[in-house]
């Protein structure tokens, strides 16, 4: 409570508080504060020190000051440069600002001194208890705060008066301005005791927490420092040993693994391998093996996919732009796309395109990839005979590598590319394993989602890969492998189709390749027809493209050397660019002949006609076959002669005729191997014609397998055979009745100008070919 009032100069303090008993110096530079000090020095040297509530205020009023402060005696003032005065004061007692009388030229306040009358109501026992309690707290505080000097501790612990101890604690222990102001305002001894104990207890807790945090930080720093020192030592050691790249490589691998799009088990396996790699010597062979393995794992597109285009119309447009014909392939791809759009599932078909060379099987796969916006990977299987080429080598072997399938995925960079398995019919097997058997898992849509490569040793998902295989023939493909693929037959091109392909694709491609344009070179339709018929003999268009390329090269030379502005190639000057025609098709004979029949054959480069010749001569019943014939063809000939002998009476053939005559069957072009059963009815007709001396119609060609009883069985390769017949200007073709369904699939342009007769028995064949009827049998209807 206030004891009496008087007027004294007031100094406003910023960011500090002065308690009674405190000897302190501080600097002042405000005019009002300097004037207040000077006024005090002129009088009784007493000032009231009040703390500002907000230290930012430059000219504080009464409301900006705490109302309770300390009366201090000015001991010394020192003038410093910059109009600054350093003041040394000694706090004497608490005072209350009653009223701020003047604010200029300095603060002058009317104050009341605050005296503590509560001490007389506190017993000595209570004071001793308070003293011991403070000492106990101080002991703990000094343990936690080691910055307090020993002399200060000694002085504080010697004090016997509670009030003096509290004031000295406030003076000697670092406290916040708020805590000091709280102690100034606590006039009663008991209140001051409670505040100082709370402050000290909080300080102890803060110091403990701070120490705990510092210990944790120190431990972490020490650990990091230790690791850093060890790493630096290890780095120096590795540099001395020439192994400095191992650690940095391992760190790079770890970063790449974190960013890898893959399942957790895959990442765990890779991290395990990286940790193992870290401990290997950089110069050891095992280190290079581990490095290659890790880099392969990181390069694989585990769960990375590309976004497919599902626009069916767009896909159809691209397929038609790139290829003429191949309707079955295009339709199947568009069906796959349509199903994917409806089901939203990514299950891909496994297609196998079967057909002669040069028919566009490989290039259509590239177009499919472009239409679907898929990465395109081509894997050539021709001549592959080691199972490890597909499944990979085990890492225990030197130079081990993943198989071609996984390597293809790695090169694609996504898990859903289009993968072309080229020439799948050319794979073989040896003592190292069966390549076809290794392909079974790859091409099985039920199993290939967990394909295990021997090198990778982790399941790789192939279920989203669109596999397209190509083959020239299915004869050499194993049955289980064939069963896993959807076969699409790519047949030979007709002359009309070749013409379209040349005009729409091949000419532009070769002009580009040879630096020409349409204004510099033109090729007439008649010239193209002549190239197709006379300079190439193939099912596809590969040689046709070569011939067009040859014309382009010669035209380019002519333009450069002779300055010709434009070269026009027609049927008349074609010989100047390509020389004489290389091929001549055997056209139908001009007249009917005995013992000569035109057969139809399928070859790997398309269809062809075979002129089968039979001579009968006196002898001892010898039966001879020449012309490089295969076993199946020889057996067909024997079946034919057996049939003729069984029906000899029906055609007035003498009973001893076959014992008295030799029969010789020859098929020209003896250097070319020939085989298959489809020439059976042709050879039988030629033999019967030679035996009964009846000529065979020159405009008739035939194909079909014969049985001992004279039935005609179905054959394959009809499109190619009919094309060959049309090229040879055959008017009538005899086809097995059971092949009628196959004939219905052929385009109308192939059948134009050809009469097709369907035969079921040899009697029908003989009737159409020679107009001869057996005496006892009626001919079957077509």
């Amino acid at each position: 409570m206030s004891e009496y009032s008087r007027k004294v100069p007031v100094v406003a303090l910023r960011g500090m508080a002065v308690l009674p008993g405190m000897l302190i110096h501080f600097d002042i530079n405000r005019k009002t504060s300097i004037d207040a000090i000077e006024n005090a020095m002129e009088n009784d040297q007493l000032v009231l020190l009040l703390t500002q509530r907000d230290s930012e205020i430059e000219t504080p009023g009464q409301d900006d000051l705490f109302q309770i402060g300390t009366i201090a005696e000015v001991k010394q003032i020192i003038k410093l440069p910059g109009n600054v005065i350093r003041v040394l004061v000694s706090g004497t007692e608490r005072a209350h600002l009653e009223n701020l009388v003047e604010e200029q030229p300095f603060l002058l306040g009317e104050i009341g001194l605050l005296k503590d009358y509560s001490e007389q109501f506190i017993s000595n026992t209570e004071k001793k208890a308070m003293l011991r309690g403070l000492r106990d707290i101080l002991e703990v505080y000094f343990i936690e705060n080691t910055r307090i000097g020993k002399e200060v501790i000694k002085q504080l612990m010697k004090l016997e008066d509670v009030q003096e101890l509290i004031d000295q604690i406030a003076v000697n222990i670092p406290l916040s301005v708020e805590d000091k102001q709280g102690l100034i305002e606590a006039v009663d001894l008991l209140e001051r005791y409670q505040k100082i104990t709370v402050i000290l207890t909080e300080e102890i807790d803060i110091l403990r927490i701070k120490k705990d945090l510092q210990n944790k930080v120190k431990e972490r720093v020490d650990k990091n420092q230790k690791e850093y020192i060890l790493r630096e030592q290890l780095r120096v050691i590795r540099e001395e040993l020439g192994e400095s790249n191992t650690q940095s490589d391992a760190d790079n691998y770890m970063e790449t693994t974190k960013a890898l799009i893959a399942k957790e088990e895959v990442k765990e396996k890779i991290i395990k391998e990286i940790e193992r790699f870290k401990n290997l010597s950089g110069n050891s062979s095992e280190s290079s093996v581990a490095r290659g393995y890790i880099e392969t794992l990181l390069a694989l597109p585990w769960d990375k996919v590309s976004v497919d285009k599902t626009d069916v119309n767009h896909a159809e447009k691209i397929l038609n732009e790139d290829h003429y014909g191949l309707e079955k392939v295009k339709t199947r791809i568009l069906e796959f796309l349509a199903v994917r759009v409806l089901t939203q599932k990514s299950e891909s078909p496994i297609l196998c395109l079967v057909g002669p060379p040069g028919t566009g099987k490989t290039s259509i796969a590239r177009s499919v990839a472009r239409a679907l916006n898929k990465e395109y990977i081509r894997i050539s299987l021709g001549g592959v005979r080691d199972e490890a080429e597909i499944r990979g080598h085990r890492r225990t072997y030197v130079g081990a590598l993943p198989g071609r399938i996984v390597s293809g995925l790695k090169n694609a960079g996504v898990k859903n590319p289009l993968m072309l398995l080229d020439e799948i019919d050319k794979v073989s097997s040896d003592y190292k394993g069966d390549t076809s058997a290794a392909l079974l898992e790859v091409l099985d849509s039920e199993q290939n989602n967990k394909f295990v490569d021997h090198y990778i040793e982790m399941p790789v998902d192939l279920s989203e890969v669109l596999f397209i295989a190509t083959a020239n023939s299915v004869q050499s493909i194993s049955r289980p492998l064939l069963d896993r693929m959807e076969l699409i037959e790519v047949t030979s091109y007709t002359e009309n189709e070749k013409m379209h392909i040349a005009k729409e694709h091949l000419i532009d491609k070769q002009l580009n390749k040879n630096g020409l344009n349409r204004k510099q070179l033109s090729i007439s339709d008649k010239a193209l027809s002549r190239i197709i018929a006379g300079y190439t003999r193939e099912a596809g268009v590969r040689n046709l493209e070569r011939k067009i390329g040859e014309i382009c090269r010669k035209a380019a030379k002519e333009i450069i050397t002779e300055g010709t502005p434009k070269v026009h190639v027609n049927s008349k000057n074609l010989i100047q660019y390509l020389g004489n025609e290389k091929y001549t098709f055997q056209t139908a004979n001009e007249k009917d002949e005995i013992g000569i029949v035109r057969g139809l054959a399928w070859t790997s480069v398309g269809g062809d006609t075979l002129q089968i010749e039979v001579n009968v001569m006196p002898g001892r019943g010898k039966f001879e076959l020449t012309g490089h014939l295969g076993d199946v063809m020889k057996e067909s000939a024997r079946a034919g002669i057996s049939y003729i002998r069984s029906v000899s009476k029906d055609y007035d053939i003498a009973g001893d005729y076959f014992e008295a005559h030799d029969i010789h069957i020859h098929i020209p072009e003896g250097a070319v191997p020939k085989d298959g059963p489809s020439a059976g009815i042709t050879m039988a007709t030629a033999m019967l014609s030679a035996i009964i001396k009846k000529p065979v119609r020159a405009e008739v060609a035939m194909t079909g397998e014969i049985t001992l009883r004279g039935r005609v069985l179905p054959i394959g390769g009809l499109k190619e055979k009919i094309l060959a017949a049309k090229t040879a200007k055959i008017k009538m073709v005899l086809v097995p009745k059971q092949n009628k369904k196959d004939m219905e699939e052929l385009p109308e342009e192939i059948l134009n100008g050809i009469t097709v007769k369907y035969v079921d028995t040899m009697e029908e064949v003989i009737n159409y070919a020679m107009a001869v009827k057996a005496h006892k049998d009626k001919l079957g209807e077509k």
Side-chain angles (χ1 to χ4, degrees):
M1 57 179 290
S2 298
E3 188 176 283
Y4 61 91
S5 296
R6 60 176 291 192
K7 293 179 182 177
V8 293
V10 177
V11 175
L13 302 177
R14 290 190 285 194
M16 63 179 295
V18 178
L19 286 89
M22 184 181 288
L23 181 67
I24 189 171
H25 59 76
F26 54 85
D27 296 342
I28 56 173
N29 62 359
R30 284 189 290 197
K31 183 83 168 52
T32 53
S33 299
I34 293 171
D35 289 346
I37 294 294
E38 287 178 347
N39 181 268
M41 292 299 290
E42 291 172 359
N43 296 301
D44 55 3
Q45 299 182 343
L46 295 177
V47 292
L48 176 63
L49 302 177
L50 294 177
T51 303
Q52 285 184 207
R53 296 181 187 275
D54 185 356
S55 61
E56 299 295 325
I57 296 172
E58 193 64 33
T59 54
Q62 184 168 350
D63 294 336
D64 300 320
L65 302 170
F66 286 104
Q67 300 303 297
I68 297 177
T70 302
I71 294 289
E73 183 182 352
V74 180
K75 296 290 187 181
Q76 185 184 32
I77 59 171
I78 301 172
K79 290 187 178 181
L80 300 175
N83 199 28
V84 174
I85 291 178
R86 179 163 293 171
V87 184
L88 179 65
V89 298
S90 174
T92 58
E93 53 189 328
R94 290 171 177 79
H96 179 266
L97 179 64
E98 302 287 347
N99 187 27
L100 201 59
V101 179
E102 293 179 12
E103 294 187 8
Q104 291 295 335
F106 56 87
L107 300 179
L108 183 64
E110 190 176 292
I111 67 166
L113 296 177
L114 297 174
K115 295 293 184 179
D116 180 15
Y117 296 106
S118 64
E119 189 176 352
Q120 59 187 338
F121 301 109
I122 301 173
S123 66
N124 290 332
T125 306
E126 288 176 319
K127 288 180 181 178
K128 286 182 180 179
M130 292 165 67
L131 188 65
R132 288 184 184 179
L134 270 178
R135 284 176 175 170
D136 290 343
I137 295 171
L138 279 174
E139 283 180 1
V140 176
Y141 177 80
F142 293 144
I143 291 170
E144 299 298 336
N145 190 354
T146 56
R147 293 185 177 183
I148 306 296
K150 291 181 179 179
E151 288 300 320
V152 174
I153 296 172
K154 198 179 289 184
Q155 288 176 4
L156 288 175
M157 297 304 278
K158 281 181 180 178
L159 293 174
E160 296 293 333
D161 183 59
V162 177
Q163 186 163 327
E164 189 182 358
L165 179 58
I166 292 172
D167 290 341
Q168 287 304 310
I169 288 171
V171 170
N172 289 285
I173 287 178
L175 301 177
S176 67
V177 175
E178 290 77 10
D179 288 340
K180 287 181 177 179
Q181 182 62 37
L183 290 171
I184 292 170
E185 293 177 357
V187 180
D188 290 348
L189 176 60
L190 191 57
E191 184 184 353
R192 227 178 309 156
Y193 172 79
Q194 290 172 346
K195 282 197 174 185
I196 197 67
T197 53
V198 169
I199 290 169
L200 286 174
T201 306
E202 285 180 355
E203 284 294 320
I204 290 168
D205 290 340
I206 290 168
L207 288 168
R208 282 175 174 171
I209 293 168
K210 181 182 174 184
K211 189 179 288 185
D212 188 43
L213 290 173
Q214 284 177 337
N215 288 336
K216 287 180 179 177
V217 171
K218 187 173 182 295
E219 284 176 11
R220 192 166 296 176
V221 169
D222 289 347
K223 183 182 178 185
N224 292 340
Q225 190 72 11
K226 181 182 176 183
E227 288 179 357
Y228 172 76
I229 293 168
L230 289 173
R231 282 200 185 96
E232 285 299 305
Q233 289 176 342
L234 187 61
R235 184 177 64 80
V236 172
I237 292 168
R238 288 186 184 280
E239 283 177 359
E240 291 296 320
L241 294 173
E243 303 172 3
S244 56
N245 292 330
T246 304
Q247 188 66 30
S248 59
D249 286 348
D251 294 338
N252 291 337
Y253 294 152
M254 198 66 79
E255 291 298 319
T256 309
T257 304
K258 289 175 183 176
L260 192 66
I261 304 172
K263 295 182 177 66
E264 283 305 315
E265 53 265 31
V266 173
K267 290 187 177 182
E268 287 172 8
K269 167 79 171 173
I270 298 174
I271 290 170
K272 186 178 176 183
E273 289 295 327
I274 294 171
E275 293 297 335
R276 181 171 163 271
F277 171 70
K278 282 182 182 179
N279 299 322
L280 295 174
S281 168
N283 294 329
S284 68
S285 60
E286 195 176 355
S287 175
S288 61
V289 171
R291 186 190 300 273
Y293 181 56
I294 292 167
E295 288 175 355
T296 301
L297 293 181
L298 292 174
L300 284 177
W302 295 98
D303 287 332
K304 185 180 177 184
V305 295
S306 60
V307 179
D308 294 351
K309 282 185 181 173
T310 54
D311 187 341
V312 178
N313 295 326
H314 172 76
E316 186 175 14
K317 180 184 174 186
I318 288 179
L319 292 173
N320 288 331
E321 277 177 7
D322 292 352
H323 288 82
Y324 179 86
L326 300 175
E327 295 303 326
K328 285 184 179 178
V329 186
K330 293 177 183 177
T331 303
R332 182 63 186 88
I333 294 299
L334 296 176
E335 287 170 357
F336 154 67
L337 258 186
V339 170
R340 171 173 282 191
V341 171
L342 290 175
T343 60
Q344 298 296 317
K345 293 180 181 176
S346 59
E347 186 175 331
S348 301
I350 297 169
L351 309 177
C352 182
L353 311 181
V354 182
T359 49
K361 299 184 297 297
T362 303
S363 59
I364 190 71
R366 192 181 293 107
S367 293
V368 170
R370 189 164 79 91
L372 302 182
N373 193 36
K374 283 182 174 289
E375 292 293 328
Y376 172 75
I377 296 296
R378 176 179 171 271
I379 297 174
S380 178
L381 296 177
V384 174
R385 57 174 176 269
D386 186 356
E387 178 203 0
E389 292 280 350
I390 305 300
R391 284 193 170 277
H393 303 81
R394 298 194 183 277
R395 283 190 293 141
T396 50
Y397 297 109
V398 176
L401 288 170
R404 295 196 182 195
I405 304 296
V406 170
S407 295
L409 270 186
K410 175 182 165 186
N411 294 335
V414 290
K415 67 182 289 193
N416 60 336
L418 184 149
M419 200 169 282
L420 176 69
L421 304 178
D422 212 5
E423 310 291 355
I424 198 170
D425 58 326
K426 308 296 190 302
V427 297
S428 56
S429 58
D430 63 4
Y431 68 93
K432 294 180 181 178
D434 188 349
T435 312
S436 296
L439 284 168
L440 292 178
E441 185 183 358
V442 174
L443 299 181
D444 191 337
S445 57
E446 299 297 322
Q447 301 178 45
N448 64 7
N449 62 331
K450 291 189 182 298
F451 172 71
V452 178
D453 185 278
H454 289 155
Y455 182 81
I456 301 299
E457 294 179 344
M458 279 190 288
V460 178
D461 186 5
L462 301 179
S463 62
E464 294 185 39
V465 178
L466 174 55
F467 286 105
I468 296 182
T470 68
N472 297 130
S473 169
V474 296
Q475 304 300 323
S476 58
I477 303 176
S478 67
R479 294 304 303 172
L481 184 58
L482 202 59
D483 184 57
R484 281 162 168 76
M485 299 184 290
E486 184 178 335
L487 295 184
I488 298 178
E489 191 175 356
V490 180
T491 53
S492 305
Y493 291 121
T494 64
E495 187 172 329
N496 183 42
E497 286 173 331
K498 288 181 181 179
M499 179 74 78
H500 276 290
I501 292 166
K503 289 166 71 175
E504 295 174 18
H505 300 286
L506 302 183
I507 292 178
D508 288 334
K509 182 180 176 183
Q510 286 300 320
L511 286 174
N512 260 343
K513 197 173 180 181
N514 292 281
L516 300 172
N517 56 50
R518 290 271 186 178
K519 292 179 181 178
Q520 294 173 300
L521 174 65
S522 64
I523 303 174
S524 70
D525 289 355
K526 286 186 178 178
L528 278 176
S529 294
R530 193 172 168 191
I531 294 170
I532 292 166
Y535 291 89
T536 65
R537 177 174 289 183
E538 58 181 343
V541 290
R542 200 166 279 155
N543 284 322
L544 174 59
E545 185 179 357
R546 290 193 186 105
K547 294 299 175 186
I548 293 171
E550 189 176 339
I551 292 172
C552 290
R553 290 192 298 275
K554 290 184 177 174
K557 181 186 173 188
E558 192 175 322
I559 290 168
I560 295 299
T561 56
E562 300 175 18
T564 309
K566 181 172 182 177
V567 175
H568 180 70
V569 179
N570 53 41
S571 59
K572 293 179 182 177
N573 65 359
L574 182 63
I575 197 168
Q576 297 175 19
Y577 296 93
L578 296 181
N580 293 324
E581 291 186 4
K582 303 292 189 296
Y583 303 102
T584 53
F585 273 89
Q586 273 191 324
T587 56
N589 296 339
E590 293 180 4
K591 60 178 183 177
D592 302 347
E593 294 187 54
I594 295 171
I596 295 178
V597 183
R598 186 64 61 92
L600 301 174
W602 178 92
T603 69
S604 61
V605 294
D608 201 0
T609 60
L610 296 176
Q611 184 162 284
I612 295 176
E613 301 174 348
V614 176
N615 267 352
V616 177
M617 60 215 89
R620 299 180 179 179
K622 188 179 177 183
F623 186 63
E624 191 167 356
L625 297 162
T626 56
H628 204 161
L629 309 185
D631 291 340
V632 176
M633 205 167 191
K634 289 177 181 178
E635 288 170 1
S636 294
R638 292 190 182 94
I641 193 65
S642 296
Y643 165 74
I644 292 169
R645 292 181 69 173
S646 69
V647 296
S648 57
K649 290 182 181 178
D650 300 340
Y651 295 99
D652 298 327
I653 301 171
D656 61 349
Y657 182 87
F658 296 99
E659 286 77 18
H661 293 83
D662 293 340
I663 299 174
H664 185 172
I665 299 176
H666 177 70
I667 301 177
E669 296 184 31
V672 180
K674 308 166 191 74
D675 205 358
S678 63
I681 63 171
T682 313
M683 291 186 288
T685 303
M687 286 187 287
L688 184 61
S689 167
I691 291 168
I692 64 175
K693 306 298 182 187
K694 290 284 184 182
V696 178
R697 292 168 62 187
E699 61 184 14
V700 174
M702 61 188 71
T703 179
E705 182 179 350
I706 187 174
T707 69
L708 282 174
R709 299 300 182 94
R711 288 187 298 115
V712 180
L713 301 183
I715 42 76
L718 264 179
K719 182 181 178 182
E720 288 78 7
K721 292 177 179 179
I722 300 296
L723 280 171
K726 189 171 184 178
T727 305
K729 298 181 181 177
I730 300 292
K731 299 290 179 61
M732 180 185 290
V733 177
L734 306 185
V735 176
K737 201 172 201 175
Q738 293 180 47
N739 282 116
K740 188 173 183 179
K741 61 183 183 300
D742 302 317
M743 292 295 294
E744 290 170 354
E745 294 180 3
L746 297 183
E748 193 63 37
E749 64 170 293
I750 295 178
L751 301 174
N752 283 342
I754 292 181
T755 302
V756 179
K757 298 294 183 182
Y758 298 106
V759 292
D760 205 25
T761 62
M762 271 305 297
E763 286 85 352
E764 295 176 19
V765 175
I766 294 164
N767 183 39
Y768 285 125
M770 296 184 287
V772 174
K773 291 186 179 181
H775 298 320
K776 65 176 183 176
D777 294 332
K778 290 177 80 175
L779 283 171
E781 293 182 2
K782 146 181 132 160

